[in-house]
Amino acid sequence: MDTGACTWSALAMSGAVEPAGKRSRFLDWVERTGNALPDPIFIFVAIIILLVIVSVIGASAGWSAVNPVTGETLAAQSLLSEANIQKLFVEMPRTYTGFAPLGFALTIMLGAAVAEKSGLLTALMRASLGNAPKSILVPMVFVLGMLATHANDAAYMVYVPLAGIVFAAAGRHPVLGLIAGFAGAAVGLAGNLFPGQYDVLLLGITETGARLLDPDWTMNPLGNWYFSIGIAVVFTAVGWWILERVIAPRLGKWDGESGVADLVGVVLSAVEKKGLVWAGVAALCVAALAAALVMWPGFTPLYNENPTEGQPITPFFRSIAALLFLLFITCGWVYGAVTGSIKTHRNVVAMMVTGLEIILPYLVLIFFAAHFVAMFGWSNLGPITAIAGADQLRAMAAPPAVLLPVLATMSAWLDFLIASGSAKWAAMSPVATPMLMLLEVSPEMTTAAYRVGDTVTNLISPLNPYVVLTMVFAQRYVPSFRLGTMIAMTLPLAAAFYVAGMLLTAVWVALGIPVGPAAPVAYHVPGLN
């Protein structure tokens, strides 16, 4: 990360103390409750303990359900049985390393680390804001905030403060720029123009839930792409209107410093521009390689010309993680070589090592999440609950266009208790995914609905550390800016995104629009009559 990024990081570290101000009682209660909860890791430990207790009760009470696919009677199994305790200890390493999202996340992050540490991602953010037209500044900053989500923490640490500087230089209130950039980055995990590592991560978790019912179901990394584009378009339009009509008038006219002096840190140097050009050339080369592996006559390792099942393009879908790794590491290495941030191959290795440090907490969390998912499968409680729940929902005759917004709403409320979207989905997917599969809703559509609810509350959740960080950035321009002010600015956006997201989900399902390439809304479980 370059000097500008470090400066903003220092600002955040020096001022990230929550100020005392007038806030609503409800938000105070939410904050106290959220802070009183243990670390998500120990939430999973508690859930595992509860799962063990329920499995013992279920096995003793004879809980069971008939698998509608195979006709087999599934009986609840005690996790304290001799066989399951043996399985827990013998297969512990395999349970951990075999968890589908782990390999995908590590593969992509190795490449993304080089792209970030070389300065490529930061330069792309700065280049995107340097010449933004004033007339479309708000939607442009919002959309670029969505795209910046692929850079992980850099979206908040680098992009958001740069958005404030650009707004000030344009004569607009810099806090409006901060809110626009933050809002775009916050919802970018649900709505985005391009897929990224978060798609692979969540759909990998979906795979573990889907396989409780259909062992042959395979994750499609692009399974949410079309829906994500739809969310991006709708949220951009709604966000633009709210930011201009509600938030901008509340902030009033900006009479402070222009911020032009700060643009020195935004404008790219000649060598950085040269680095971006050559990184672009490298990106085209990677794209050409991917296209060749799909379409080269007589040699198509990423295209199955005679598929026995599934789609011919399935090998390409499953190689997305590898291609993203190759794209990130190639472009990052080329950019670093041109700008001087990478001098030898040892620098690249060091960047990979230090880049993985940011996901160490994730690696710890995944150990417990993987065991929860595995033990849930051993107990048979997942499919039993899904089958029973599907029967109840089918009896209610509620269409998927109603059920999926309910799932998204549940996801939104849980965001106030569990900050990690992947941790929350790891707990919900083993029940929600197979349940909705039995109601003929595809795992991809279920995941898309979950993501809508998971992201809209990121704007106002006290458990989101970037809410406070953005508030600290705002205090540079408005010293009296407090958490209550921050929530007042973002709450209209969160409410509008929630309503728009629920409506889009319902309409999308009702019309049966594909969620992504080879990912329809409807799904028929193989063997189910």
Side-chain angles (χ1 to χ4, degrees):
M1 188 176 295
D2 66 359
T3 307
C6 295
T7 302
W8 284 111
S9 300
L11 172 62
M13 294 299 293
S14 64
V17 178
E18 182 183 340
K22 185 177 181 180
R23 296 173 292 176
S24 72
R25 293 181 180 180
F26 171 72
L27 291 175
D28 282 342
W29 174 83
V30 169
E31 184 174 1
R32 287 195 303 270
T33 303
N35 289 338
L37 289 173
D39 187 273
I41 290 174
F42 282 91
I43 292 179
F44 265 105
V45 171
I47 294 176
I48 289 174
I49 293 173
L50 179 62
L51 175 63
V52 171
I53 295 172
V54 173
S55 73
V56 173
I57 295 174
S60 301
W63 293 351
S64 64
V66 177
N67 189 320
V69 179
T70 64
E72 175 189 2
T73 299
L74 300 172
Q77 301 293 318
S78 170
L79 290 173
L80 293 182
S81 67
E82 183 177 346
N84 279 329
I85 289 179
Q86 181 187 73
K87 189 182 299 184
L88 173 65
F89 283 94
V90 172
E91 297 190 6
M92 187 171 287
R94 185 183 304 172
T95 299
Y96 181 32
T97 59
F99 194 56
L102 180 61
F104 284 108
L106 288 174
T107 300
I108 293 174
M109 286 305 298
L110 279 173
V114 176
E116 180 182 357
K117 300 299 181 182
S118 67
L120 172 62
L121 296 181
T122 300
L124 284 172
M125 292 180 198
R126 290 161 57 206
S128 64
L129 286 177
N131 298 306
K134 186 176 180 179
S135 59
I136 57 171
L137 196 56
V138 169
M140 176 173 285
V141 166
F142 185 86
V143 171
L144 291 175
M146 287 182 174
L147 298 176
T149 301
H150 294 315
N152 300 312
D153 291 349
Y156 300 96
M157 301 296 290
V158 179
Y159 179 78
V160 171
L162 287 178
I165 293 172
V166 170
F167 265 65
R172 302 208 63 181
H173 206 297
V175 173
L176 182 64
L178 294 174
I179 298 298
F182 167 71
V187 301
L189 297 178
N192 219 305
L193 300 179
F194 302 106
Q197 59 263 37
Y198 195 67
D199 295 83
V200 176
L201 172 60
L202 278 196
L203 287 165
I205 295 173
T206 302
E207 181 176 276
T208 63
R211 287 189 172 183
L212 292 175
L213 188 62
D214 181 4
D216 296 325
W217 192 85
T218 301
M219 180 263 288
N220 174 0
L222 301 180
N224 281 171
W225 192 10
Y226 298 162
F227 186 81
S228 293
I229 293 175
I231 286 289
V233 172
V234 171
F235 279 14
T236 299
V238 172
W240 189 2
W241 194 91
I242 294 293
L243 285 162
E244 291 284 19
R245 299 297 182 89
V246 178
I247 298 176
R250 184 180 181 90
L251 287 168
K253 184 180 179 181
W254 174 244
D255 294 322
E257 297 178 1
S258 67
V260 173
D262 292 330
L263 281 174
V264 175
V266 178
V267 178
L268 296 175
S269 64
V271 69
E272 288 173 324
K273 291 179 180 178
K274 183 179 179 181
L276 285 181
V277 169
W278 281 105
V281 173
L284 291 175
C285 291
V286 174
L289 174 63
L293 294 177
V294 173
M295 298 182 293
W296 193 269
F299 186 78
T300 56
L302 298 187
Y303 183 86
N304 189 356
E305 297 182 355
N306 299 299
T308 56
E309 59 181 27
Q311 298 290 328
I313 202 70
T314 296
F316 174 77
F317 290 152
R318 301 205 68 183
S319 68
I320 291 296
L323 291 174
L324 285 174
F325 162 77
L326 184 61
L327 177 68
F328 281 135
I329 194 171
T330 302
C331 295
W333 196 334
V334 169
Y335 177 86
V338 173
T339 60
S341 60
I342 295 178
K343 300 185 183 304
T344 71
H345 68 281
R346 300 184 189 279
N347 297 136
V348 176
V349 175
M351 288 176 179
M352 289 184 179
V353 173
T354 57
L356 287 182
E357 291 176 358
I358 65 172
I359 65 168
L360 289 179
Y362 168 76
L363 297 181
V364 178
L365 174 67
I366 282 298
F367 175 83
F368 296 94
H371 280 84
F372 165 74
V373 172
M375 294 171 71
F376 206 59
W378 301 340
S379 70
N380 279 339
L381 291 177
I384 290 173
T385 304
I387 293 167
D391 289 341
Q392 292 295 323
L393 293 174
R394 190 178 291 110
M396 294 170 57
V402 173
L403 297 178
L404 288 171
V406 170
L407 171 68
T409 301
M410 182 185 303
S411 169
W413 281 105
L414 286 175
D415 204 42
F416 289 110
L417 301 178
I418 303 176
S420 170
S422 58
K424 187 170 54 178
W425 187 228
M428 294 177 63
S429 179
V431 173
T433 300
M435 181 187 298
L436 287 165
M437 287 170 68
L438 290 171
L439 296 176
E440 299 188 343
V441 177
S442 70
E444 292 92 347
M445 188 66 242
T446 300
T447 307
Y450 163 79
R451 293 172 71 170
V452 172
D454 175 53
T455 55
V456 294
T457 41
N458 282 340
L459 291 159
I460 56 175
S461 174
L463 294 185
N464 183 358
Y466 298 115
V467 170
V468 177
L469 180 61
T470 304
M471 177 198 72
V472 172
F473 291 147
Q475 288 174 346
R476 177 192 179 192
Y477 305 102
V478 183
S480 61
F481 202 92
R482 296 290 183 265
L483 186 60
T485 312
M486 180 68 187
I487 298 299
M489 296 291 171
T490 55
L491 185 57
L493 287 166
F497 290 152
Y498 171 78
V499 173
M502 296 305 102
L503 289 175
L504 181 63
T505 301
V507 170
W508 200 283
V509 174
L511 296 179
I513 304 172
V515 198
V521 167
Y523 180 83
H524 183 74
V525 179
L528 181 64
N529 296 324

